[in-house]
PDB file of all heavy atoms in Angstrom:
ATOM      1  N   SER A1363     314.758 141.285 172.323  1.00 98.00           N
ATOM      2  CA  SER A1363     313.671 141.252 171.377  1.00 98.00           C
ATOM      3  C   SER A1363     313.634 142.530 170.521  1.00 98.00           C
ATOM      4  O   SER A1363     313.716 143.641 171.029  1.00 98.00           O
ATOM      5  CB  SER A1363     312.306 141.137 172.127  1.00 98.00           C
ATOM      6  OG  SER A1363     311.269 141.341 171.252  1.00 98.00           O
ATOM      7  N   SER A1364     313.490 142.306 169.201  1.00 98.00           N
ATOM      8  CA  SER A1364     313.442 143.454 168.287  1.00 98.00           C
ATOM      9  C   SER A1364     311.983 143.865 167.926  1.00 98.00           C
ATOM     10  O   SER A1364     311.759 144.874 167.329  1.00 98.00           O
ATOM     11  CB  SER A1364     314.112 143.011 166.946  1.00 98.00           C
ATOM     12  OG  SER A1364     313.391 141.976 166.397  1.00 98.00           O
ATOM     13  N   GLY A1365     311.040 142.932 168.290  1.00 98.00           N
ATOM     14  CA  GLY A1365     309.649 143.188 167.912  1.00 98.00           C
ATOM     15  C   GLY A1365     309.281 142.590 166.541  1.00 98.00           C
ATOM     16  O   GLY A1365     308.109 142.619 166.167  1.00 98.00           O
ATOM     17  N   LYS A1366     310.254 142.044 165.796  1.00 97.00           N
ATOM     18  CA  LYS A1366     309.982 141.594 164.422  1.00 97.00           C
ATOM     19  C   LYS A1366     308.886 140.525 164.372  1.00 97.00           C
ATOM     20  O   LYS A1366     308.008 140.573 163.520  1.00 97.00           O
ATOM     21  CB  LYS A1366     311.258 141.055 163.785  1.00 97.00           C
ATOM     22  CG  LYS A1366     312.244 142.134 163.371  1.00 97.00           C
ATOM     23  CD  LYS A1366     313.502 141.519 162.787  1.00 97.00           C
ATOM     24  CE  LYS A1366     314.547 142.639 162.545  1.00 97.00           C
ATOM     25  NZ  LYS A1366     315.854 142.064 162.236  1.00 97.00           N
ATOM     26  N   MET A1367     308.930 139.564 165.306  1.00 98.00           N
ATOM     27  CA  MET A1367     307.974 138.510 165.293  1.00 98.00           C
ATOM     28  C   MET A1367     306.566 139.014 165.565  1.00 98.00           C
ATOM     29  O   MET A1367     305.639 138.711 164.830  1.00 98.00           O
ATOM     30  CB  MET A1367     308.357 137.416 166.334  1.00 98.00           C
ATOM     31  CG  MET A1367     307.658 136.111 166.257  1.00 98.00           C
ATOM     32  SD  MET A1367     308.032 135.186 164.783  1.00 98.00           S
ATOM     33  CE  MET A1367     306.486 135.126 163.958  1.00 98.00           C
ATOM     34  N   GLY A1424     300.686 136.586 172.752  1.00 98.00           N
ATOM     35  CA  GLY A1424     301.746 137.194 173.549  1.00 98.00           C
ATOM     36  C   GLY A1424     303.126 136.912 172.959  1.00 98.00           C
ATOM     37  O   GLY A1424     303.827 135.987 173.362  1.00 98.00           O
ATOM     38  N   ALA A1425     303.517 137.773 171.971  1.00 98.00           N
ATOM     39  CA  ALA A1425     304.827 137.586 171.314  1.00 98.00           C
ATOM     40  C   ALA A1425     305.881 138.429 172.011  1.00 98.00           C
ATOM     41  O   ALA A1425     307.066 138.350 171.672  1.00 98.00           O
ATOM     42  CB  ALA A1425     304.756 137.929 169.849  1.00 98.00           C
ATOM     43  N   ALA A1426     305.471 139.326 172.945  1.00 98.00           N
ATOM     44  CA  ALA A1426     306.444 140.187 173.589  1.00 98.00           C
ATOM     45  C   ALA A1426     307.355 139.379 174.503  1.00 98.00           C
ATOM     46  O   ALA A1426     306.944 138.368 175.092  1.00 98.00           O
ATOM     47  CB  ALA A1426     305.698 141.249 174.389  1.00 98.00           C
ATOM     48  N   ALA A1427     308.557 139.839 174.644  1.00 98.00           N
ATOM     49  CA  ALA A1427     309.494 139.260 175.642  1.00 98.00           C
ATOM     50  C   ALA A1427     309.389 140.131 176.881  1.00 98.00           C
ATOM     51  O   ALA A1427     310.090 141.153 177.019  1.00 98.00           O
ATOM     52  CB  ALA A1427     310.933 139.259 175.059  1.00 98.00           C
ATOM     53  N   ASP A1430     310.606 139.058 183.354  1.00 98.00           N
ATOM     54  CA  ASP A1430     310.065 138.275 184.425  1.00 98.00           C
ATOM     55  C   ASP A1430     310.296 138.926 185.785  1.00 98.00           C
ATOM     56  O   ASP A1430     309.580 138.686 186.732  1.00 98.00           O
ATOM     57  CB  ASP A1430     310.718 136.872 184.435  1.00 98.00           C
ATOM     58  CG  ASP A1430     310.267 136.070 183.222  1.00 98.00           C
ATOM     59  OD1 ASP A1430     309.094 136.153 182.864  1.00 98.00           O
ATOM     60  OD2 ASP A1430     311.130 135.287 182.686  1.00 98.00           O
ATOM     61  N   THR A1455     307.458 140.166 188.030  1.00 98.00           N
ATOM     62  CA  THR A1455     306.436 140.968 187.354  1.00 98.00           C
ATOM     63  C   THR A1455     305.144 140.152 187.314  1.00 98.00           C
ATOM     64  O   THR A1455     305.186 138.962 187.549  1.00 98.00           O
ATOM     65  CB  THR A1455     306.817 141.337 185.931  1.00 98.00           C
ATOM     66  OG1 THR A1455     307.145 140.114 185.242  1.00 98.00           O
ATOM     67  CG2 THR A1455     308.095 142.219 185.893  1.00 98.00           C
ATOM     68  N   LYS A1456     304.061 140.787 186.924  1.00 98.00           N
ATOM     69  CA  LYS A1456     302.798 140.041 186.795  1.00 98.00           C
ATOM     70  C   LYS A1456     302.803 139.304 185.478  1.00 98.00           C
ATOM     71  O   LYS A1456     303.278 139.852 184.446  1.00 98.00           O
ATOM     72  CB  LYS A1456     301.598 140.993 186.829  1.00 98.00           C
ATOM     73  CG  LYS A1456     301.436 141.676 188.166  1.00 98.00           C
ATOM     74  CD  LYS A1456     300.316 142.689 188.040  1.00 98.00           C
ATOM     75  CE  LYS A1456     300.261 143.571 189.292  1.00 98.00           C
ATOM     76  NZ  LYS A1456     299.940 144.930 189.003  1.00 98.00           N
ATOM     77  N   ILE A1458     301.314 138.348 182.318  1.00 98.00           N
ATOM     78  CA  ILE A1458     300.205 138.910 181.464  1.00 98.00           C
ATOM     79  C   ILE A1458     299.408 137.766 180.879  1.00 98.00           C
ATOM     80  O   ILE A1458     298.168 137.770 180.869  1.00 98.00           O
ATOM     81  CB  ILE A1458     300.794 139.834 180.334  1.00 98.00           C
ATOM     82  CG1 ILE A1458     301.655 140.919 180.985  1.00 98.00           C
ATOM     83  CG2 ILE A1458     299.669 140.394 179.502  1.00 98.00           C
ATOM     84  CD1 ILE A1458     302.459 141.750 180.004  1.00 98.00           C
ATOM     85  N   LEU A1459     300.092 136.786 180.267  1.00 98.00           N
ATOM     86  CA  LEU A1459     299.445 135.643 179.625  1.00 98.00           C
ATOM     87  C   LEU A1459     298.506 134.945 180.573  1.00 98.00           C
ATOM     88  O   LEU A1459     297.392 134.692 180.250  1.00 98.00           O
ATOM     89  CB  LEU A1459     300.502 134.647 179.161  1.00 98.00           C
ATOM     90  CG  LEU A1459     300.961 134.660 177.733  1.00 98.00           C
ATOM     91  CD1 LEU A1459     301.905 133.514 177.525  1.00 98.00           C
ATOM     92  CD2 LEU A1459     299.835 134.577 176.711  1.00 98.00           C
ATOM     93  N   PHE A1474     304.013 132.489 173.648  1.00 98.00           N
ATOM     94  CA  PHE A1474     305.262 132.097 173.004  1.00 98.00           C
ATOM     95  C   PHE A1474     306.155 131.526 174.130  1.00 98.00           C
ATOM     96  O   PHE A1474     305.913 131.805 175.320  1.00 98.00           O
ATOM     97  CB  PHE A1474     305.970 133.296 172.455  1.00 98.00           C
ATOM     98  CG  PHE A1474     305.653 133.525 170.958  1.00 98.00           C
ATOM     99  CD1 PHE A1474     304.421 134.024 170.602  1.00 98.00           C
ATOM    100  CD2 PHE A1474     306.568 133.224 169.962  1.00 98.00           C
ATOM    101  CE1 PHE A1474     304.067 134.230 169.268  1.00 98.00           C
ATOM    102  CE2 PHE A1474     306.245 133.408 168.612  1.00 98.00           C
ATOM    103  CZ  PHE A1474     305.022 133.913 168.300  1.00 98.00           C
ATOM    104  N   ALA A1476     310.296 131.096 174.724  1.00 97.00           N
ATOM    105  CA  ALA A1476     311.686 131.324 174.183  1.00 97.00           C
ATOM    106  C   ALA A1476     312.626 130.541 175.045  1.00 97.00           C
ATOM    107  O   ALA A1476     312.738 130.839 176.256  1.00 97.00           O
ATOM    108  CB  ALA A1476     311.985 132.812 174.258  1.00 97.00           C
ATOM    109  N   LYS A1488     304.441 125.431 180.069  1.00 98.00           N
ATOM    110  CA  LYS A1488     303.843 126.781 180.014  1.00 98.00           C
ATOM    111  C   LYS A1488     302.405 126.700 179.491  1.00 98.00           C
ATOM    112  O   LYS A1488     301.527 127.387 179.971  1.00 98.00           O
ATOM    113  CB  LYS A1488     304.686 127.707 179.125  1.00 98.00           C
ATOM    114  CG  LYS A1488     305.946 128.192 179.862  1.00 98.00           C
ATOM    115  CD  LYS A1488     306.876 129.023 178.976  1.00 98.00           C
ATOM    116  CE  LYS A1488     308.182 129.292 179.771  1.00 98.00           C
ATOM    117  NZ  LYS A1488     309.224 129.936 178.996  1.00 98.00           N
ATOM    118  N   LYS A1492     299.991 127.951 182.377  1.00 97.00           N
ATOM    119  CA  LYS A1492     299.354 129.250 182.195  1.00 97.00           C
ATOM    120  C   LYS A1492     297.940 129.077 181.623  1.00 97.00           C
ATOM    121  O   LYS A1492     297.309 130.081 181.245  1.00 97.00           O
ATOM    122  CB  LYS A1492     300.207 130.129 181.289  1.00 97.00           C
ATOM    123  CG  LYS A1492     301.590 130.437 181.827  1.00 97.00           C
ATOM    124  CD  LYS A1492     302.288 131.511 181.044  1.00 97.00           C
ATOM    125  CE  LYS A1492     303.755 131.670 181.469  1.00 97.00           C
ATOM    126  NZ  LYS A1492     304.319 132.969 181.112  1.00 97.00           N
ATOM    127  N   ASN A1500     310.051 128.739 170.487  1.00 95.00           N
ATOM    128  CA  ASN A1500     311.232 128.956 169.597  1.00 95.00           C
ATOM    129  C   ASN A1500     312.504 128.904 170.373  1.00 95.00           C
ATOM    130  O   ASN A1500     312.568 129.221 171.556  1.00 95.00           O
ATOM    131  CB  ASN A1500     311.103 130.220 168.736  1.00 95.00           C
ATOM    132  CG  ASN A1500     310.723 131.475 169.489  1.00 95.00           C
ATOM    133  OD1 ASN A1500     310.400 132.502 168.833  1.00 95.00           O
ATOM    134  ND2 ASN A1500     310.655 131.479 170.782  1.00 95.00           N
ATOM    135  N   PHE A1509     315.502 135.726 168.698  1.00 96.00           N
ATOM    136  CA  PHE A1509     315.622 137.180 168.857  1.00 96.00           C
ATOM    137  C   PHE A1509     316.306 137.848 167.656  1.00 96.00           C
ATOM    138  O   PHE A1509     317.306 137.318 167.133  1.00 96.00           O
ATOM    139  CB  PHE A1509     316.440 137.523 170.061  1.00 96.00           C
ATOM    140  CG  PHE A1509     315.734 137.285 171.387  1.00 96.00           C
ATOM    141  CD1 PHE A1509     316.305 136.425 172.336  1.00 96.00           C
ATOM    142  CD2 PHE A1509     314.571 137.895 171.681  1.00 96.00           C
ATOM    143  CE1 PHE A1509     315.711 136.240 173.516  1.00 96.00           C
ATOM    144  CE2 PHE A1509     313.929 137.703 172.908  1.00 96.00           C
ATOM    145  CZ  PHE A1509     314.521 136.845 173.842  1.00 96.00           C
ATOM    146  N   GLU A1510     315.831 138.969 167.259  1.00 94.00           N
ATOM    147  CA  GLU A1510     316.491 139.903 166.347  1.00 94.00           C
ATOM    148  C   GLU A1510     316.540 139.475 164.889  1.00 94.00           C
ATOM    149  O   GLU A1510     316.558 140.280 163.992  1.00 94.00           O
ATOM    150  CB  GLU A1510     317.913 140.253 166.808  1.00 94.00           C
ATOM    151  CG  GLU A1510     317.925 140.998 168.155  1.00 94.00           C
ATOM    152  CD  GLU A1510     319.276 141.142 168.741  1.00 94.00           C
ATOM    153  OE1 GLU A1510     319.986 140.134 168.840  1.00 94.00           O
ATOM    154  OE2 GLU A1510     319.653 142.270 169.135  1.00 94.00           O
ATOM    155  N   LYS A1532     310.098 135.769 159.121  1.00 94.00           N
ATOM    156  CA  LYS A1532     309.044 135.910 160.174  1.00 94.00           C
ATOM    157  C   LYS A1532     307.712 136.262 159.576  1.00 94.00           C
ATOM    158  O   LYS A1532     306.644 135.891 160.206  1.00 94.00           O
ATOM    159  CB  LYS A1532     309.537 136.913 161.225  1.00 94.00           C
ATOM    160  CG  LYS A1532     310.608 136.312 162.119  1.00 94.00           C
ATOM    161  CD  LYS A1532     311.078 137.268 163.206  1.00 94.00           C
ATOM    162  CE  LYS A1532     312.080 136.532 164.154  1.00 94.00           C
ATOM    163  NZ  LYS A1532     312.810 137.404 165.034  1.00 94.00           N
TER     164      LYS A1532
HETATM  165  O1  PMT B1720     311.121 140.244 168.838  1.00 88.44           O
HETATM  166  P1  PMT B1720     312.015 139.359 167.985  1.00 88.44           P
HETATM  167  O2  PMT B1720     313.426 139.890 167.955  1.00 88.44           O
HETATM  168  O3  PMT B1720     311.430 139.123 166.615  1.00 88.44           O
HETATM  169  O4  PMT B1720     312.122 137.938 168.673  1.00 88.44           O
HETATM  170  C1  PMT B1720     311.001 137.124 168.778  1.00 88.44           C
HETATM  171  C2  PMT B1720     310.851 136.491 170.189  1.00 88.44           C
HETATM  172  C3  PMT B1720     311.998 135.521 170.359  1.00 88.44           C
HETATM  173  C4  PMT B1720     310.886 137.546 171.237  1.00 88.44           C
HETATM  174  C5  PMT B1720     309.438 135.768 170.182  1.00 88.44           C
HETATM  175  O5  PMT B1720     309.376 134.821 169.157  1.00 88.44           O
HETATM  176  C6  PMT B1720     309.208 135.135 171.535  1.00 88.44           C
HETATM  177  O6  PMT B1720     309.626 134.004 171.819  1.00 88.44           O
HETATM  178  N1  PMT B1720     308.472 135.864 172.432  1.00 88.44           N
HETATM  179  C7  PMT B1720     308.299 135.463 173.834  1.00 88.44           C
HETATM  180  C8  PMT B1720     309.530 135.740 174.627  1.00 88.44           C
HETATM  181  C9  PMT B1720     309.380 135.350 176.083  1.00 88.44           C
HETATM  182  O7  PMT B1720     309.343 136.217 176.906  1.00 88.44           O
HETATM  183  O8  PMT B1720     309.285 134.055 176.325  1.00 88.44           O
HETATM  184  P2  PMT B1720     309.131 133.427 177.793  1.00 88.44           P
HETATM  185  O9  PMT B1720     309.276 131.966 177.508  1.00 88.44           O
HETATM  186  O10 PMT B1720     310.028 134.065 178.730  1.00 88.44           O
HETATM  187  O11 PMT B1720     307.623 133.751 178.175  1.00 88.44           O
HETATM  188  C10 PMT B1720     306.535 132.872 177.866  1.00 88.44           C
HETATM  189  C11 PMT B1720     305.296 133.692 177.528  1.00 88.44           C
HETATM  190  O12 PMT B1720     304.848 134.386 178.709  1.00 88.44           O
HETATM  191  C12 PMT B1720     305.473 134.696 176.429  1.00 88.44           C
HETATM  192  O13 PMT B1720     304.341 134.613 175.580  1.00 88.44           O
HETATM  193  C13 PMT B1720     305.519 136.030 177.149  1.00 88.44           C
HETATM  194  O14 PMT B1720     304.962 137.096 176.374  1.00 88.44           O
HETATM  195  C14 PMT B1720     304.660 135.731 178.349  1.00 88.44           C
HETATM  196  N2  PMT B1720     304.939 136.515 179.566  1.00 88.44           N
HETATM  197  C15 PMT B1720     306.152 136.430 180.182  1.00 88.44           C
HETATM  198  C16 PMT B1720     306.352 137.116 181.370  1.00 88.44           C
HETATM  199  C17 PMT B1720     305.337 137.966 181.868  1.00 88.44           C
HETATM  200  N3  PMT B1720     305.510 138.671 182.955  1.00 88.44           N
HETATM  201  N4  PMT B1720     304.155 138.025 181.245  1.00 88.44           N
HETATM  202  C18 PMT B1720     303.912 137.327 180.117  1.00 88.44           C
HETATM  203  O15 PMT B1720     302.839 137.396 179.505  1.00 88.44           O
END
Side-chain angles (χ1 to χ4, degrees):
S1363 171
S1364 63
K1366 286 178 187 169
M1367 193 68 244
D1430 289 323
T1455 56
K1456 293 176 191 143
I1458 305 169
L1459 262 184
F1474 268 73
K1488 284 175 187 174
K1492 299 191 188 202
N1500 46 191
F1509 287 123
E1510 295 170 309
K1532 284 181 176 169

